[in-house]
Amino acid sequence: MNRTVILGTGAAVPNKVLTNKDLETIVDTSDEWISTRTGIKSRYIAEDGETTSTLATEAARRSLDMAGVRPAEVDMIIVGTTSPDMVMPNTGALVQKHLGASNAFAFDVYAACSGFVYALTIADKFVKENPEKKILAIGSELLSSITDWQDRNTCVLFGDAAGAALVSGSNDGERGILSTHLHSDGCLWELLYIPGGGCVYPPSAEMAEKRDYCIRMHGNEVYKHAVRSLTEVAQEALLANQLDPEDVDLFIPHQANIRIMTKVAERLKISPDRVYMNIERYGNTSSASIPVALDEANRSGRLKPGDLVLLDAFGGGFTWGAVMIRW
Ligand code: UT7
């Protein structure tokens, strides 16, 4: 049966590490509060020259190297991001340029923390139609560029990173993407958003002074919706494939908060040893969080052929979604 398979994965982070102790010198917070409320200990923060497209390119290059595929063989590049280098061109086009992927077309998906799951879903649909196509699905963010470093409610949460997966078609038994599930609810946009920078509230001196180009979040409300939506869409994916929670070998939820991940896994009845968590070292990297975790699991040998992997995302919009993969 023809399915979309992941031929290679890759990830990239900036050089600089910002610890909770470092944050104690920036805002009124503590390592104790951040660790116990979120599970985060440190995160990577970009410095000069590191951008969403350069991180995405590095992650993509690593996925191509793993697959033994040349940039010129790539047909399509999809980048999930909420922190593009520029409004125009799209980040995918810049990745195409940096990689030298001269035969690819490229575009961005704007679905916040669900960006990678959305990108992978779109890639899956294209591969279903053209199994020989090679597609890069990427999640890349420089959240540090849209973080209000005076707002302790949000600045302790985010980090910068990129992750990529190169996909194509295969007839290798049951291997590949089994199903994809996407959802949105635009009615709840005000719980997690960036007020300025778009046509409603264009860039201005006032906007910059109020730091209204930065992420605003009603954390408590988002928390409740995240737990509910992540649980429901994971159950939807299990049901669609007539699988039970105990069939899942590795559950990779969006890394927003260790308490959210624990609660969702409990509700799904997936045991803690089968939940991938790396939020301690990265913080919340939005669309990059799932592909970075997938790449770590892949490179560390945690994933074995035939394993059942469940990706589960939630973010601003709201957007949420799941992808079930037979590795
Ligand atoms: O990635 C997209 C989706 N995003 C998410 O899923 C994030 C969902 N939300 C969360 O993860 C949590 O709501 C947060 C981690 C953002 C906040 O945790 P919380 O347990 O919901 O804390 P809270 O907002 O209810 O704040 C509790 C207290 C408040 O003080 P009072 O009013 O009780 O005196 C805050 O002012 O903690 C205070 N607080 C802090 N204290 C020290 C908030 N931020 C900090 C901080 N350091 N950084």
Side-chain angles (χ1 to χ4, degrees):
M1 179 180 208
N2 185 62
R3 289 226 171 94
T4 304
V5 292
I6 295 181
L7 302 177
T9 59
V13 289
N15 289 319
K16 184 180 167 185
V17 175
L18 189 74
T19 65
N20 291 350
K21 283 278 169 208
D22 296 330
L23 278 165
E24 287 178 359
T25 67
I26 300 172
V27 286
D28 179 17
T29 191
S30 65
D31 176 32
E32 203 268 331
W33 191 95
I34 304 169
S35 303
T36 54
R37 296 284 180 135
T38 71
I40 302 165
K41 283 276 182 198
S42 63
R43 69 287 288 143
Y44 294 91
I45 300 292
E47 293 183 295
D48 284 355
E50 293 170 324
T51 72
T52 299
S53 75
T54 65
L55 290 179
T57 303
E58 194 52 38
R61 212 170 259 139
R62 288 178 186 167
S63 72
L64 291 174
D65 287 349
M66 182 185 280
V69 168
R70 287 176 293 112
E73 295 176 74
V74 176
D75 297 289
M76 181 172 169
I77 300 169
I78 316 168
V79 178
T81 188
T82 310
S83 45
D85 284 21
M86 290 173 263
V87 173
M88 189 171 66
N90 73 70
T91 311
L94 295 173
V95 173
Q96 182 213 18
K97 168 187 171 285
H98 300 326
L99 274 181
S102 47
N103 296 309
F105 66 94
F107 60 95
D108 290 2
V109 174
Y110 211 45
C113 306
S114 310
F116 176 75
V117 160
Y118 270 61
L120 190 60
T121 299
I122 296 166
D124 177 47
K125 305 305 167 204
F126 269 86
V127 167
K128 287 238 164 73
E129 216 159 82
N130 272 302
E132 78 286 356
K133 294 281 180 216
K134 293 188 172 50
I135 305 180
L136 277 167
I138 301 172
S140 185
E141 305 282 4
L142 230 76
L143 293 184
S144 59
S145 67
I146 50 170
T147 293
D148 182 346
W149 291 100
Q150 294 180 32
D151 176 14
R152 71 173 184 171
N153 291 300
T154 53
C155 78
V156 302
L157 305 173
F158 304 125
D160 301 335
L166 180 76
V167 303
S168 193
S170 167
N171 273 315
D172 187 2
E174 289 300 299
R175 274 188 70 214
I177 293 179
L178 304 184
S179 67
T180 61
H181 310 265
L182 301 183
H183 296 275
S184 307
D185 187 352
C187 297
L188 299 166
W189 69 269
E190 279 173 295
L191 296 177
L192 177 53
Y193 71 115
I194 298 172
C199 64
V200 170
Y201 182 9
S204 65
E206 187 207 352
M207 187 201 85
E209 198 185 328
K210 291 161 104 180
R211 297 178 303 286
D212 277 341
Y213 56 89
C214 295
I215 300 167
R216 305 289 178 219
M217 179 167 72
H218 298 275
N220 271 316
E221 285 302 309
V222 176
Y223 187 104
K224 286 181 231 158
H225 285 284
V227 170
R228 186 177 329 128
S229 300
L230 286 164
T231 306
E232 283 177 2
V233 75
Q235 284 167 338
E236 181 186 320
L238 287 167
L239 193 65
N241 294 287
Q242 294 177 312
L243 291 162
D244 294 320
E246 54 268 27
D247 295 324
V248 176
D249 295 291
L250 193 62
F251 178 51
I252 306 184
H254 169 47
Q255 311 280 310
N257 187 320
I258 200 167
R259 292 184 292 138
I260 294 176
M261 292 187 274
T262 305
K263 195 155 270 184
V264 171
E266 268 171 27
R267 288 193 180 178
L268 290 171
K269 297 192 170 56
I270 295 177
S271 62
D273 58 307
R274 287 180 286 134
V275 183
Y276 200 89
M277 293 194 198
N278 62 9
I279 189 172
E280 183 178 332
R281 287 172 287 127
Y282 295 95
N284 178 349
T285 60
S286 186
S287 67
S289 90
I290 288 177
V292 167
L294 186 66
D295 182 57
E296 274 191 358
N298 191 16
R299 282 176 196 268
S300 66
R302 176 103 184 244
L303 289 173
K304 305 273 180 290
D307 275 0
L308 193 66
V309 184
L310 177 55
L311 313 181
D312 200 8
F314 177 85
F318 288 141
T319 57
W320 63 102
V323 178
M324 188 73 85
I325 306 170
R326 180 69 69 189
W327 198 254

